[in-house]
Amino acid sequence: MPTSSIPAPSDTPQPRASRIQRRNRKRILDAALEVFSQHGYRGATLDQIATEAGLSKPNILYYFAGKEDIHVTLLNDLMDTWLAPMRQIDPQGDPMNEILRYVQRKLEMSREFPRESRLFANEILQGAPRMGPHLQTGLKPLVDDTAALIETWIAQGRLARVDPRHLIFSIWATTQHYADFGAQVQVLMDGGDGLDGASAFLDTLYRRLLTP
Amino acid sequence: MPTSSIPAPSDTPQPRASRIQRRNRKRILDAALEVFSQHGYRGATLDQIATEAGLSKPNILYYFAGKEDIHVTLLNDLMDTWLAPMRQIDPQGDPMNEILRYVQRKLEMSREFPRESRLFANEILQGAPRMGPHLQTGLKPLVDDTAALIETWIAQGRLARVDPRHLIFSIWATTQHYADFGAQVQVLMDGGDGLDGASAFLDTLYRRLLTP
DNA sequence: TCGTATCTTTACCAATTGGTAAAAAGCCAG
DNA sequence: CTGGCTTTTTACCAATTGGTAAAGATACGA
């Protein structure tokens, strides 16, 4: 996850950010992730973020141009991490294995990065007002490629015949559900997060679906 | 969907709300559904709701005690509609048929009530601050019952052996995805909502999963 | 048609929120 | 140890937001 902006006029190869700058920007982004993922963009306030980060509000605005800048920075920095599991699908690998491992990696993201998952969910729920371009340029090509790959596998008879795009949607939906709807899952699972059971269930689900 | 509150001191059997009252409360709730589902609770403003409803802000506060009252009323009124598909599962019916029809009914809700779906999604994403009780008293018993029913069916060998609760989660996740993440789906499906394809895909998915 | 109850508007708040100006305090190379 | 840079604080705004008071307009039964 690269840090960005602030001085960034063009490309001075110097160590462009001091130790303090790196530390405080990180604190702010971490606090903002917590607050934004919990309350959404408009529900979050700079004061909350400042308190969570242990800094004053004006001090935060010394490091970021504004509330929106923080939010956009978070989204940008997260994009790579978020798409990594899909990028790791190996066209040379065994199809069933690759898909099932992709499912497990996505599920693992719900365990490790629930805040990030909710941040994205919030953004998409509201129509992706600050992420439209990113979806077009970052996500769509990757999905198109992956869908094509899956279709190849299907044509070779190595996977059952299913619509690749809906397959991908269903994987996202079922795995991210445990992070995004965690509050509901907890009520219905008597406090547990359900992730362990989900791992086995989803393995069965996709194995049965995709076995030719 | 029952209307509620305003006069409601106890139980006068009179026609307690005038024509104007019913009409305006309905307008307000409809406008609020639009605005809340798009921007979340804190992101929505009374002015937006007022404009959308074609009323003045103070006039809205004549019909509802406040912003929160509108939100809670929406959530309450929606709960029945939302749980109806699960209530319609027939313990006497053919298991596979009942589950597959439940999936299709849920998918139909994403088509017909996307705003309602997003309203709930927003609420759950934020930790269900105004719905915790409802989940416990309304949703949980129904899910417990349905899970028990499915387990019976499995024990009878009429469905494949899967965890009923994770099955239910996966049905919710995959069907609601098309409403809640519609913005993303649209980008990846070149403008379509994907619902027609989803119907066939999900039928295949759950048929293969549940066939003993 | 008139009076009363219902409904709507106008004119306001007080609190919150994103953001700024500028002084004060740290930090650190020479 | 000092002068110039970075960082932080203090003291503010202007706009927005949820909400209220009370006057004014409307509907409607008697």
Side-chain angles (χ1 to χ4, degrees), chain B residues 49-62:
Chain B
I49 296 173
T51 301
E52 183 85 19
L55 299 172
S56 68
K57 184 169 62 175
N59 201 6
I60 280 187
L61 293 168
Y62 171 75

Side-chain angles (χ1 to χ4, degrees), chain B residues 85-103:
Chain B
M86 184 173 277
R87 288 217 175 85
Q88 285 176 41
I89 295 178
D90 179 8
Q92 310 303 321
D94 172 68
M96 178 69 74
N97 228 304
E98 290 300 318
I99 302 286
L100 292 181
R101 285 189 52 200
Y102 172 59
V103 171

